Amino acid sequence: MHIAYKKVILGILAITFSITTAVAEPTAPPLSDRAIRVWTTTDGLPHNSVNHITQDSQGYLWIASWEGPVRFNGRSFQLFSQATGLPDPGSLYVAENPFTKQIISTGTRGGVSYFQSSPTGGHWLPQPRVFDRVDYALFTAPKCTWYGTVNTGVIRECDGTRTQYTETEGLPSATVLELEQDHQGRIWVGTDEGAAYYDAGQDVFRTLEQLPNGYSFGIVAAQDKQIYVSLDREIFVVDSEQLTVSKWPTRYPSTITELYQAPDATFWVGTHEHGLTRLTDATPQMMSVATGLPNNHILSIFMDREYTLWVGTHRGLVQFRQAQFHSHRAEDGLGYDYVRAIAETADGTVLVGGLGGVRRIKNETVLPLETTSKVINESILSFAIDREERLYIGTFTNGLYILENGQQIAHYNEMNGFPGNDIRGLLLASDGYLYAATSVGVLRSRINADGTLQPPNYFGADDGLPDEIIYAIHETHNGEILIGSMRGLSRLNNGQIERIDVSSVSDAEFIFGFYENTSHIYVASDRGLLVHTKGKDVWQLFDDDNGLPTIKFFDVTLDHEGNLWLGSGRGLVYIAAKDFDIALNDDNPATPLPHIFYDNHHGLASAQINTGGPPMLAARDGDLWAATSRGIGHYIPAQSATIRQTPPQPVIEQVTADGRAISPNTYLDATTRRVEFQFVGLGYQYPESIRYRVQLAGYDQDWVEPTRSQLNVSYTELPPRAFIFQVQTAYPDGEWSDAATFTLHKLPTLWQRPSIWIAVGLTLVLLFILGLRLRVYSVTRSKERLQHLVREQTKTLQKLAHQDSLTKLANRRAFDELLRQKVAQHGGQQPLALILMDLDHFKEINDRYLHTTGDQVLRRVALIIRESARESDMIARWGGEEFAILLSGAHAASLDTICERIRKAIMQADLHDLVNNLVVTSSFGGASYIPGETAASLIRRADKALYSAKHEGRNRTEIAPSDE
């Protein structure tokens, strides 16, 4: 039966079932405790239909696709098409022969080919063609393989002899869908008209009366010694010894297309129209398009050695991995991505608020908020819950809602006497008042007994606040109200506003979040974490001087173990309680803080933690929740502790000498100039974050860590001797793996060989003076050449260490060194100025036009800046879309003019060759050097000016005052 015909039959079956049986689609995703990732053709996958998945002994994943067999190393897909020698390059099945370790790929026209791996890349060995399209291969002995075909039954090939089995030999049908060998050694066959097993004594296939006819895509010889057989939408369990049959109690909503038991003993069921689920005896909880799958038709399921689950669909390769975090996103039922506020009700339900309204999460299931209030679809900024479980909800544009038991009991906004429609934070204080952080100051309103509010009053600039844009509000244990605004930290005590001066430790202005325990108050700011020790009444600052990866934090909280969590726009920072206690009690303000930085690679769909009221929650059950720009991140400590952090397996994929692939223990000619090693870590939990370190023993004195994107290293002009190249891998914060090694030898030139030394010695006896001069000359020339090569290599390495690879400008490291030197050497005779600039809304360019276009824009902007500056000006890529320019001399005196010239040049740049009608704008912050100030101070003032330019609307220049 042709595949097109099979699809028609499956479609008819699915339609019939949908008419005759009403199946409610479950809402709880079965894999919500894992991070999900999808690869499609846009990510390099040759074809979106993933017919089969396996893993070989080295650790590579292999994928059968319609374009051919594909090898995946976690970073890139390598397609083998014509090289297989198949009549048609499309691959339907791929697996490793457990006896020979060869990879087999089968095709649509009966083609079978074996891949033999080798250090130089490997090669394919086409086999004699099987009668018909081969959908499955089963290896039962070193020289015995069974093939399942789509029209001509089962083909057994042993010692080169092929035997065919069809309906005549007892098969229910010649259309074979599955092959399996049970614990008794029996061969089982699944067909489009039922399942059968092979009777070796009679050389025929037999069926069991208890098994009905139907599509049998899945047969599993399970770890419990039973045989699980899928037939249409049902599963039957066969006792492997007695061959008795029992029916599994669960019926699935459409035809089962894949049945798989993972190494951890979990059974997975894939269906034709409803996605994926675990095998249970309860109502199946389907993972489908509605909950994150790219397609509901499951073609293949596989779990690798890291216990990562892979699923093949018609729309890409899906990975479900155990990670420290997972995210509930728009496609997982949340309905929107941008989350701003989180709260927890008395029954442990987590409330989620963001750009799309309010949702609830209970037992990993996203549910609607049961209410008729319009707040359900408002843009939410903040939550508060009182003792009666009344819910106070602050919105972005429509004021404050109050709900009780799902019913709206009040709505306050500018229309009824509550100015400031954006409610950024809410506080139900012990004094009986509700306090709210708004854009017009701090709202205070007496709470009535029924939860409604009395007319409010406001605290603003006239009352002593530094400004009226309020981000956070907190009641301390002694009843003071702490207020975080855009211009600093204040307290409200007995009706009076007082500024809290932290200038002795920080120039922080934006105050985003608070947390308090018995001994400390923690404050998240734009310049680090501020901590107030109550007993000593002192403030401390923790920022990049302590090794933290960023200094702008939007919220802070402690979990139930006392560990510290900081939310930033780049991810979450975790600091163990014991490490933070050490830093708190250390007089050195630069005490290093051991930490873990959680970002996208740890399972967060987005590493951008948002501001909100509040954006982080340490729930009563110990879980941590974080509001991000792509859903709500969820951390389960107990699950995180069980994640296997076995180091990825390092593999040296290829070694070339002057461009020619070589094998281990190769002897290189003395003229060989360049040897390159290509390697990869075969780990799939977060492959982009795998760390590497390499060493060429006999040349390198110590391990060298290349960047995580660099998967090759090269050496030139190696001296004659034996070398061992070693590479190790590790996940972030994980242990290093054992080393993969590659040995090679470089032969000496003739004059370096002992036999030649003896001959030269005899010659020197006869021609002492001439031989001596020739020897000295040869050694001198060799020494000069080697010294020259060393100098050139040193220059190259120094350039790479101080150059941004994308824009070819100086990198931040080089710029910081120059700035410190300039400031240290500055005598005040010549002006000195610093410009920091940032491309406006650059993330939108990356999101809309992809990162390749974004990279081209960065290169073009770097060229514009270079053309607008003098040769004496230092230009650097500061990081991401930020650039820095150091001006000196008369040029620095024209700081504002130079900023405006560059800004206009960028805005007017013709970028139509990249994207039609693309206009890029930028914001500039400049600061002139004040004699006596430090480099850090100059950077801080320029950064502050840049922040002001962005806040005032972007595409403008702000110059820092010289009297700060």
Side-chain angles (χ1 to χ4, degrees):
M1 183 184 294
H2 294 295
I3 188 65
Y5 180 60
K6 288 202 295 182
K7 289 184 177 178
V8 170
I9 296 297
L10 284 171
I12 294 172
L13 291 172
I15 293 170
T16 303
F17 180 70
S18 63
I19 294 173
T20 58
T21 308
V23 177
E25 183 94 23
T27 58
L31 287 166
S32 60
D33 60 345
R34 299 190 184 208
I36 183 172
R37 183 175 180 181
V38 179
W39 283 268
T40 66
T41 52
T42 60
D43 307 298
L45 186 67
H47 195 283
N48 279 337
S49 291
V50 178
N51 298 320
H52 193 257
I53 310 167
T54 193
Q55 186 172 30
D56 66 20
S57 301
Q58 286 184 286
Y60 287 101
L61 285 183
W62 286 83
I63 297 163
S65 82
W66 288 106
E67 293 296 322
V70 181
R71 189 170 72 173
F72 184 42
N73 64 15
R75 301 289 289 274
S76 61
F77 297 92
Q78 182 180 6
L79 172 65
F80 298 94
S81 183
Q82 300 299 327
T84 62
L86 295 173
D88 184 289
S91 178
L92 298 169
Y93 183 82
V94 63
E96 183 179 70
N97 187 320
F99 304 103
T100 66
K101 304 304 179 185
Q102 293 175 316
I103 298 297
I104 185 175
S105 176
T106 69
T108 56
R109 298 186 181 181
V112 175
S113 188
Y114 291 102
F115 178 75
Q116 182 66 56
S117 179
S118 71
T120 56
H123 59 280
W124 288 89
L125 303 169
Q127 304 300 303
R129 183 177 174 182
V130 180
F131 300 129
D132 194 4
R133 162 180 161 157
V134 180
D135 276 25
Y136 213 97
L138 177 67
F139 310 100
T140 57
K143 294 185 178 181
C144 196
T145 303
W146 297 69
Y147 299 106
T149 75
V150 76
N151 276 326
T152 51
V154 175
I155 310 299
R156 183 184 66 183
E157 182 177 49
C158 293
D159 296 316
T161 301
R162 291 179 174 175
T163 306
Q164 181 181 9
Y165 298 87
T166 64
E167 292 97 328
T168 304
E169 288 75 31
L171 284 179
S173 166
T175 298
V176 177
L177 307 175
E178 179 82 357
L179 290 170
E180 177 71 306
Q181 184 175 29
D182 67 16
H183 301 284
Q184 307 296 323
R186 282 185 295 255
I187 307 301
W188 289 80
V189 178
T191 76
D192 64 342
E193 294 185 16
Y197 68 91
Y198 177 64
D199 183 339
Q202 299 297 319
D203 194 28
V204 295
F205 280 88
R206 301 190 184 280
T207 58
L208 298 176
E209 293 183 2
Q210 303 96 316
L211 291 177
N213 292 340
Y215 280 87
S216 181
F217 286 97
I219 302 177
V220 175
Q223 296 176 23
D224 62 4
K225 304 297 179 68
Q226 303 299 299
I227 303 159
Y228 290 71
V229 181
S230 73
L231 290 162
D232 290 338
R233 295 179 294 273
E234 296 179 309
I235 294 174
F236 296 83
V237 183
V238 180
D239 184 281
S240 61
E241 294 183 358
Q242 303 299 322
L243 294 182
T244 55
V245 178
S246 61
K247 183 178 177 181
W248 191 263
T250 304
R251 183 178 176 88
Y252 291 85
S254 59
T255 301
I256 297 169
T257 53
E258 186 73 357
L259 185 61
Y260 175 77
Q261 187 177 34
D264 64 0
T266 304
F267 261 102
W268 296 95
V269 180
T271 67
H272 179 238
E273 288 188 313
H274 292 78
L276 175 75
T277 186
R278 289 185 176 93
L279 177 67
T280 69
D281 55 4
T283 302
Q285 305 293 295
M286 309 301 298
M287 182 75 178
S288 65
V289 170
T291 51
L293 276 182
N295 179 256
N296 281 340
H297 187 170
I298 306 303
L299 298 173
S300 50
I301 305 172
F302 179 77
M303 181 173 282
D304 66 23
R305 295 171 201 158
E306 295 180 310
Y307 293 85
T308 293
L309 186 71
W310 299 87
V311 178
T313 74
H314 278 305
R315 290 188 180 174
L317 175 68
V318 187
Q319 179 197 51
F320 295 96
R321 62 182 173 88
Q322 293 179 318
Q324 286 82 357
F325 282 85
H326 62 277
S327 296
H328 297 275
R329 306 159 299 164
E331 57 265 41
D332 301 325
L334 196 61
Y336 58 89
D337 274 336
Y338 207 88
V339 178
R340 296 292 292 268
I342 313 171
E344 183 179 19
T345 63
D347 66 352
T349 297
V350 174
L351 297 178
V352 183
L355 285 183
V358 185
R359 300 291 186 272
R360 298 182 298 134
I361 298 180
K362 182 70 173 177
N363 297 328
E364 292 296 307
T365 303
V366 179
L367 303 168
L369 181 68
E370 297 176 355
T371 181
T372 58
S373 171
K374 293 182 179 180
V375 74
I376 192 68
N377 294 315
E378 293 275 11
S379 179
I380 309 302
L381 289 181
S382 56
F383 288 128
I385 303 174
D386 66 16
R387 294 179 180 178
E388 285 73 32
E389 285 291 298
R390 284 186 287 257
L391 178 59
Y392 296 74
I393 305 175
T395 71
F396 183 54
T397 59
N398 204 5
L400 174 68
Y401 289 81
I402 305 177
L403 275 62
E404 184 171 15
N405 297 323
Q407 299 298 312
Q408 178 178 308
I409 62 174
H411 177 208
Y412 302 102
N413 58 19
E414 292 180 350
M415 304 298 293
N416 55 8
F418 283 73
N421 275 338
D422 56 334
I423 310 297
R424 301 163 187 239
L426 289 168
L427 170 65
L428 303 174
S430 59
D431 60 4
Y433 283 91
L434 176 140
Y435 294 83
T438 78
S439 59
V440 296
V442 176
L443 174 154
R444 182 174 72 169
S445 177
R446 171 70 70 176
I447 305 173
N448 297 319
D450 61 358
T452 59
L453 303 178
Q454 296 181 9
N457 65 301
Y458 286 78
F459 296 92
D462 293 341
D463 303 294
L465 282 175
D467 67 288
E468 295 176 344
I469 298 179
I470 312 302
Y471 289 109
I473 194 161
H474 169 76
E475 181 180 19
T476 67
H477 293 174
N478 63 6
E480 292 181 340
I481 305 298
L482 295 182
I483 302 166
S485 72
M486 194 173 67
R487 288 288 180 266
L489 179 62
S490 307
R491 69 163 61 92
L492 174 62
N493 191 15
N494 296 323
Q496 299 297 316
I497 299 289
E498 302 173 6
R499 293 290 304 275
I500 299 177
D501 184 11
V502 296
S503 60
S504 62
V505 295
S506 173
D507 61 349
E509 290 192 349
F510 286 71
I511 305 300
F512 295 110
F514 298 99
Y515 185 84
E516 182 179 7
N517 61 12
T518 56
S519 55
H520 296 89
I521 296 175
Y522 303 82
V523 181
S525 81
D526 64 335
R527 287 297 182 269
L529 175 68
L530 291 162
V531 181
H532 179 251
T533 302
K534 299 178 185 179
K536 299 179 181 178
D537 192 24
V538 296
W539 286 92
Q540 293 170 266
L541 175 68
F542 298 92
D543 57 11
D544 50 354
D545 287 342
N546 305 98
L548 296 181
T550 184
I551 63 171
K552 182 182 288 185
F553 299 117
F554 296 139
D555 200 15
V556 54
T557 191
L558 270 65
D559 61 24
H560 296 301
E561 303 298 325
N563 304 307
L564 186 73
W565 292 84
L566 298 168
S568 78
R570 293 170 47 202
L572 284 160
V573 178
Y574 166 90
I575 304 170
K578 60 180 179 60
D579 293 325
F580 199 67
D581 285 342
I582 293 172
L584 280 171
N585 294 296
D586 195 324
D587 293 333
N588 179 11
T591 300
L593 266 175
H595 64 276
I596 299 175
F597 190 42
Y598 292 109
D599 57 12
N600 303 70
H601 302 310
H602 296 86
L604 287 168
S606 168
Q608 177 183 320
I609 310 302
N610 296 322
T611 59
M616 291 170 59
L617 169 70
R620 285 187 288 271
D621 61 3
D623 292 2
L624 184 86
W625 300 80
T628 80
S629 63
R630 192 164 181 231
I632 181 168
H634 186 190
Y635 174 81
I636 305 174
Q639 176 178 300
S640 180
T642 65
I643 292 177
R644 297 168 177 84
Q645 287 291 333
T646 303
Q649 175 66 42
V651 173
I652 300 171
E653 294 197 306
Q654 190 177 58
V655 182
T656 58
D658 291 341
R660 175 179 57 87
I662 62 174
S663 300
N665 293 310
T666 293
Y667 284 82
L668 302 178
D669 186 83
T671 60
T672 303
R673 296 179 59 84
R674 179 186 177 90
V675 180
E676 182 175 359
F677 300 88
Q678 298 178 20
F679 48 84
V680 72
L682 297 180
Y684 304 94
Q685 293 191 26
Y686 21 89
E688 293 83 358
S689 286
I690 293 175
R691 300 162 55 207
Y692 295 89
R693 67 179 186 181
V694 300
Q695 183 183 47
L696 184 61
Y699 184 84
D700 293 323
Q701 296 299 314
D702 203 350
W703 291 96
V704 178
E705 287 198 41
T707 63
R708 297 182 187 181
S709 61
Q710 181 182 348
L711 299 179
N712 57 37
V713 294
S714 59
Y715 298 85
T716 57
E717 300 296 338
L718 291 172
R721 64 173 65 115
F723 299 95
I724 301 176
F725 178 76
Q726 305 176 83
V727 57
Q728 290 182 308
T729 56
Y731 281 124
D733 314 307
E735 299 293 328
W736 287 107
S737 68
D738 293 334
T741 62
F742 189 100
T743 302
L744 58 87
H745 311 263
K746 187 176 182 184
L747 295 172
T749 58
L750 287 175
W751 63 268
Q752 293 171 317
R753 299 180 183 180
S755 60
I756 300 302
W757 296 345
I758 295 172
V760 170
L762 293 174
T763 303
L764 286 175
V765 172
L766 301 174
L767 303 168
F768 178 79
I769 296 176
L770 179 60
L772 179 61
R773 288 180 177 178
L774 289 174
R775 181 64 175 163
V776 170
Y777 176 80
S778 176
V779 171
T780 301
R781 291 287 295 169
S782 296
K783 180 178 179 181
E784 289 174 352
R785 183 166 60 89
L786 289 173
Q787 288 175 340
H788 174 72
L789 290 173
V790 169
R791 285 195 298 270
E792 291 300 313
Q793 187 68 13
T794 300
K795 289 178 182 179
T796 300
L797 292 174
Q798 289 175 341
K799 182 177 179 181
L800 291 174
H802 291 80
Q803 186 183 71
D804 174 54
S805 60
L806 178 65
T807 63
K808 306 306 179 185
L809 297 175
N811 58 22
R812 182 165 183 170
R813 176 182 177 183
F815 189 87
D816 287 347
E817 290 178 3
L818 177 65
L819 180 60
R820 284 194 292 268
Q821 292 174 6
K822 285 284 189 179
V823 170
Q825 299 168 0
H826 195 268
Q829 297 87 355
Q830 295 290 333
L832 189 67
L834 175 65
I835 299 172
L836 295 181
M837 62 156 290
D838 183 272
L839 299 185
D840 300 329
H841 306 296
F842 186 73
K843 183 177 183 298
E844 295 180 5
I845 295 176
N846 279 335
D847 291 345
R848 186 173 182 179
Y849 304 113
L850 302 182
H851 284 272
T852 53
T853 300
D855 288 348
Q856 291 175 311
V857 170
L858 289 174
R859 293 191 191 98
R860 193 70 59 83
V861 169
L863 180 61
I864 293 170
I865 298 172
R866 192 184 291 115
E867 291 174 347
S868 302
R870 298 183 312 172
E871 288 187 5
S872 61
D873 297 336
M874 178 65 171
I875 308 169
R877 184 180 178 194
W878 189 251
E881 62 270 23
E882 290 185 279
F883 296 84
I885 309 169
L886 183 63
L887 311 176
S888 59
H891 210 214
S894 306
L895 177 60
D896 186 65
T897 301
I898 293 169
C899 289
E900 281 300 292
R901 183 169 72 241
I902 299 174
R903 183 185 67 79
K904 291 177 181 178
I906 293 172
M907 182 174 64
Q908 296 168 2
D910 182 5
L911 304 175
H912 77 276
D913 57 322
L914 303 181
V915 177
N916 283 335
N917 302 320
L918 176 62
V919 176
V920 177
T921 64
S922 51
S923 300
F924 285 74
S928 296
Y929 176 72
I930 301 172
E933 76 172 326
T934 64
S937 173
L938 180 59
I939 292 172
R940 188 160 47 245
R941 292 194 299 111
D943 189 39
K944 190 173 181 181
L946 173 59
Y947 200 98
S948 177
K950 292 166 69 175
H951 184 266
E952 294 297 328
R954 294 185 170 87
N955 193 21
R956 59 185 289 120
T957 297
E958 292 289 336
I959 305 299
S962 60
D963 57 352
E964 289 188 357

